[in-house]
Amino acid sequence: MTPVELSRTVLHAVRRAVDAGELSVAVPTRAVVAPPGPGGCGDYATSIALQLARPAGQPPLKVAEVLRPHLLGADGITDVVLTGPGFLNISLDRAASGVGLVGEILRRGERYGYADGPDGRVVQLHCPHDLRAVVVADAAARLLRSQGALVRVTAEGVEPAWTSVLGVAVDAVGRAPAELPVNVRPVPAPESADPMSLGRDAGRWALLHPAAHDRPRADDQHLVQRESNPLFRVRYAHARARAATRNAADLGFTADPGSGPGPVPATGSDTGTPNGTATGTATVPAPLADAAPQLLAALADHPRVLAAAADHRAPDRLARHLVTVADAALPFLPTVLPRGGEKPSAAHRARLALAEAVGAVLAGGLDLLGIDAPDHL
């Protein structure tokens, strides 16, 4: 179960409670699910009970108690624990959720985490005549559009080189009327810094990776191909993921996230008895269930990060999330392909699917930041 599917499941639980007469509320259009905070447990938590408490005229904990059995009856949910004032902490069937997550990413590709369509929001971003502000506004607009908003970007000044070198795009330039205040104003880069000398990709990363209240560094550290460079790690993880697909094709197999635990034919390396004697079938655990839990959690969190980065006009949140995905992926990627005399198995096909999901998330995230994701480094 993906976070998007879980959000829908939570809304369905609210609907069932309303239909049963247990709650008297309007069913919201959105239920936020996120990794549990301090004191929480399970895979995800939602504050939907706190959101509904006032309109329901009941304490949040009572609303959570009403919703709990409706969630426990949903496929893919193994436990629901109430904590704090009324948080619902949800544990998922990890085998099924990992397979579903990877399948969803492969289906959506680089648009995984995007809104399904326009949401009716119209957003105006206005920034001063400052390089970093214009780059942040450009990236924030990309994020907002990915979440269904209609966005217009204006700036009090833009130098032609900013567009030709860093690829920024604004809809209008000039002083805005008093009723349109500047609403994108990150801390400027130091006067001694020259982000444009780094080129488009490293220059944009240097300005977008730090939080808006932090002063960016625009030096050659963003160009070095070493582990100390976060941008290099992100792009290297993407290139390794793409290479896995190419190398798998050379070995004659493709990605398949699998369908969870169950009996499969015992052929080749897909095992039989411990001494190697084939038994006709073998119970093979879902290869993704425990392959890379931190990586699966980071991929699952991608839609929430995109929405939060858009809502807060904070592309730095996406940049840091891509580093998290890359750092979780890099130890996993060497396990994707068969080694030595191994034959490609269900596990290898599932790992390849996870690698391709990594490539899609990293490529899509870098594109939203206006940064290229090369297949070769």
Side-chain angles (χ1 to χ4, degrees), residues 9 13 16 67-82 89-91:
T9 300
R16 288 194 294 271
L67 294 177
R68 182 175 183 271
H70 294 288
L71 287 169
L72 280 172
D75 291 340
I77 293 179
T78 59
D79 195 15
V80 179
V81 175
L82 277 56
N89 296 263
I90 303 169
S91 296

Side-chain angles (χ1 to χ4, degrees), residues 6 10-12 24 40-41 55 74 77 83 91 101 154 167-168 178 201 216-217 230 243 270 287 297-298 357 370:
L6 180 57
V10 172
L11 293 178
H12 291 162
S24 180
C41 59
I77 293 179
T83 58
S91 296
L101 171 66
T154 57
V168 296
D201 296 333
R217 296 174 57 187
D270 281 340

Side-chain angles (χ1 to χ4, degrees), residues 150-161:
L150 179 65
V151 187
R152 177 177 169 82
V153 181
T154 57
E156 296 185 350
V158 174
E159 301 299 325

Side-chain angles (χ1 to χ4, degrees), residues 225-244:
Q225 295 195 9
R226 297 177 187 156
E227 290 186 4
S228 60
N229 179 3
L231 175 59
F232 170 72
R233 296 204 304 275
V234 171
R235 299 173 88 186
Y236 181 64
H238 170 265
R240 285 291 301 267
R242 298 306 195 202

Side-chain angles (χ1 to χ4, degrees), residues 249-291:
D250 291 340
L251 293 173
F253 73 99
T254 57
D256 179 2
S259 56
V264 298
T267 60
S269 63
D270 281 340
T271 201
T273 61
N275 63 8
T277 303
T279 61
T281 63
T283 299
V284 179
L288 293 179
D290 300 307

Side-chain angles (χ1 to χ4, degrees), residues 181-200:
V182 169
N183 55 11
V184 179
R185 194 190 292 274
V187 173
E191 292 185 6
S192 59
D194 183 13
M196 290 194 295
S197 67
L198 303 176
R200 172 169 175 155

Side-chain angles (χ1 to χ4, degrees), residues 21-330:
E22 298 169 320
L23 290 176
S24 180
V25 296
V27 179
T29 58
R30 182 184 180 194
V32 176
V33 297
C41 59
D43 298 298
Y44 292 97
T46 178
S47 60
I48 190 71
L50 283 73
Q51 178 183 340
L52 297 176
R54 181 174 297 229
Q58 300 185 42
L61 193 57
K62 177 61 177 176
V63 176
E65 290 172 349
V66 169
L67 294 177
R68 182 175 183 271
H70 294 288
L71 287 169
L72 280 172
D75 291 340
I77 293 179
T78 59
D79 195 15
V80 179
V81 175
L82 277 56
T83 58
F87 292 106
L88 290 153
N89 296 263
I90 303 169
S91 296
L92 302 178
D93 178 341
R94 294 197 175 185
S97 63
V99 170
L101 171 66
V102 173
E104 172 70 6
I105 297 172
L106 297 183
R107 185 179 70 82
R108 299 291 298 271
E110 295 180 14
R111 296 179 66 84
Y112 167 63
Y114 279 39
D116 292 332
D119 63 3
R121 285 183 297 167
V122 178
V123 180
Q124 172 73 58
L125 300 179
H126 185 60
C127 56
H129 184 188
D130 171 72
L131 173 58
R132 188 185 186 199
V134 173
V135 172
V136 169
D138 176 73
R142 293 166 182 254
L143 284 162
L144 283 161
R145 291 177 185 127
S146 79
Q147 300 304 299
L150 179 65
V151 187
R152 177 177 169 82
V153 181
T154 57
E156 296 185 350
V158 174
E159 301 299 325
W162 298 356
T163 299
S164 62
V165 176
L166 297 185
V168 296
V170 299
D171 298 297
V173 178
R175 299 288 296 182
E179 63 270 17
L180 182 61
V182 169
N183 55 11
V184 179
R185 194 190 292 274
V187 173
E191 292 185 6
S192 59
D194 183 13
M196 290 194 295
S197 67
L198 303 176
R200 172 169 175 155
D201 296 333
R204 289 182 70 100
W205 181 270
L207 297 173
L208 294 173
H209 181 248
H213 57 266
D214 291 332
R215 192 172 295 278
R217 296 174 57 187
D219 53 31
D220 290 347
Q221 68 171 333
H222 299 291
L223 297 174
V224 298
Q225 295 195 9
R226 297 177 187 156
E227 290 186 4
S228 60
N229 179 3
L231 175 59
F232 170 72
R233 296 204 304 275
V234 171
R235 299 173 88 186
Y236 181 64
H238 170 265
R240 285 291 301 267
R242 298 306 195 202
T245 299
R246 296 192 301 270
N247 293 333
D250 291 340
L251 293 173
F253 73 99
T254 57
D256 179 2
S259 56
V264 298
T267 60
S269 63
D270 281 340
T271 201
T273 61
N275 63 8
T277 303
T279 61
T281 63
T283 299
V284 179
L288 293 179
D290 300 307
Q294 291 182 332
L295 176 56
L296 287 167
L299 295 175
D301 203 29
H302 188 65
R304 183 195 65 83
V305 172
L306 290 187
D311 289 344
H312 294 276
R313 283 62 159 162
D316 60 283
R317 295 190 180 200
L318 173 57
R320 291 194 298 273
H321 173 66
L322 296 181
V323 176
T324 298
V325 172
D327 287 346
L330 284 170

